[in-house]
Amino acid sequence: MTTTAPLPPLPSRPPSGCPFDPPEGLARLRLEEPLSKVALDDGGWAWLATRYTDVRAILGDVRFSSDTSAAGYPVSGMTGGSPRPGATRGFIRMDPPEHTRLRRMVTRDFMVKRVEALRPILQRLTDELCDAMERTDRSERPVDLVQALALPLPSLAISLLLGVPYEDHDTFQRLTGTLLSRDLTEEQREPARNELLAYIDQLVGAKKADPGDDIISRLVTEQYARDELTHEDLVAFAVLLLVAGHETTANMIGLSALSLMLDQETAGRLREDPSLIRGAVEELLRFHSIIRNGPRRAALADVEVGGQLIRRGEGVIVAVPSANRDEDTFPDAGRLDITRPNAQHHVAFGYGIHQCLGQALARAELQVVISTLLRRFPGMRPAVPVEEIPFRTDMVIYGCHALPVTW
Amino acid sequence: MQITIDEAKCCGAGQCVLVAPDVFDQRDEDGIVVLLNAAPDAGLHAAVREAATICPAAAIQVRE
C-alpha cells in the first residue's frame, strides 16, 4: 500500500506582509512547480498554474472549459461567485458556441468608441464625487475613499448603462458583497443570490412594460422579443454585468489610490505628466491583480501545458496574480513601474475568449479617477497606518474594505 | 506587412483599437473587429504586432 502526503491547499494571503503582494507561496511554486496540485475543500484536487506563459496558454485554449458543470471543473475551494452546476449562469460560465452568441449581444455596448463617448460622463460623475469630498469639513475627516468615490463611480456608471435605478445601490452592493465573500459557504450565499435574482427579475419585468434607453431595455426589446434570449438568460446577463461592473473596478480604484499615496515619487511623475496615465493604469492592473485564485477551467481533452500533461476531466485554477508577477515576462515584477514597456501584456482582465468584456470601461474609469484624484487632492494620504487598513483577504476580489484618507 | 483577421474568433475585447486605431476599429452593430488597413505603412508595424500579441482570441494574423 502506498500513502501519499496530503496536497497543500490553495495559497492564501497571510494576515501580515506587504498588502500589495500576491499570496505567499505563489512565487516559489512558479519557480519550482509551475503546475502543481492543490487540494480543494470537497476532498478533490485541481492543477494550479502560476507561470505567465502557462496561464496564457490555458486561458487561450478552448479545450479548457468554463462550464461549471463540465467534468472536473473545480467548483469548490473559495470559488466565490461560482454557481453550483445547473444554477442560473451568465455567459462567463459557458463555452462556445453558446458563449459567443450571448457575449456578442452586448459586445457593442462596451466597445472602445462607446466607452470613449462616455468619458465626459465619467469625468462629470468623478468631479461631483470629488466636490462632495472637498466640501467635507475637517471635523468630518477622515473620509472613507471606498464609500466616497471608489465604489460609487463604477456603481453609477454600470447602473446608468444597464438602466438599474441608482437609488437601489445599497441593495445590490450588499448582495454582490455577500456573493463575493469567500468566508461564506455556497449555502450561506444562496439567499443573497436568490434575492439579487429576484431584484433583477422584477427590474426586467419593469423594462418589458416600460423600456428605456439602456442595455437591459435593448435586450428586452430586441433579443428577447426575437426569441434569441430567454427570460432566465436575460436575468443572468443582467446579474453578471451588474456584479462584474462593481467590485472589480471599485477595488482597483482603492488599491491604486493607496499605492500612489504610499509612492509619492510615482504620484509626482504622474501629476507632472498626465500623458503617462494610460501606461500607469496598465501597470496598476498588472501590479494589483485583484482576482484571487481564478479563473478556473476544466480540461475537455488531454492537453500538454508547459511540459505537464493535463488530462481530460481534470480541473485547473489559474493564478492571475502570480502570472502578472512572473519575472520572466515582467522583470523586477514586484516594483510598480508606470513606464514599464510591456505592462499591457498583463492578464488582469484574463485572456482568451472570456477576457473581460468591460475592460475598456474599467480602463476609462481608472484613468479618469486616478488623474482627477492626483490633480484635485495632491496632499491626500492614508489617515491610519497601513497595518490598520482592512484589506479584503476574505473576498474573491482583493482590495480594501475601507480606506480612510485625509488631506 | 499583410494583416488578416478572423471575425469568428474575435471576442470584441477592443485592445487592438486602443493600440492601433489607424488599423483596427469595431463594428457598430456588434463590436467585432473591422480591419481599416490590411497593409499599413512601416510606421504602424510595431503597433500592429503588439495588437496581434495582446489579442486575447488570437484573431489577428500578421504576415511580414
Side-chain angles (χ1 to χ4, degrees), chain A residues 19-39:
Chain A
F20 301 139
D21 282 347
E24 219 168 48
L26 287 175
R28 187 191 59 76
L29 285 175
R30 194 167 58 233
L31 286 173
E32 295 172 9
E33 207 184 345
L35 275 153
S36 62
K37 290 182 177 181
V38 289

Side-chain angles (χ1 to χ4, degrees), chain A residues 104 112-113 344-345 352 355, chain B residues 7 10-11 26 28 50 53 56:
Chain A
R104 285 191 173 189
V112 171
K113 62 191 152 203
Q344 66 195 2
H345 290 189
Q355 195 183 55
Chain B
E7 284 186 18
C10 176
C11 65
Q26 283 169 290
D28 286 336
E50 176 69 3
T53 301

Side-chain angles (χ1 to χ4, degrees), chain B residues 23-47:
Chain B
V23 180
F24 303 102
D25 196 2
Q26 283 169 290
R27 205 154 59 197
D28 286 336
E29 305 85 68
D30 56 11
I32 297 305
V33 63
V34 174
L35 188 57
L36 300 174
N37 181 354
D41 294 341
L44 292 168
H45 288 187

Side-chain angles (χ1 to χ4, degrees), chain A residues 166-178:
Chain A
Y166 186 71
E167 306 85 82
D168 297 341
H169 72 278
D170 281 346
T171 302
F172 54 73
Q173 277 165 16
R174 172 176 57 80
L175 296 174
T176 56
T178 305

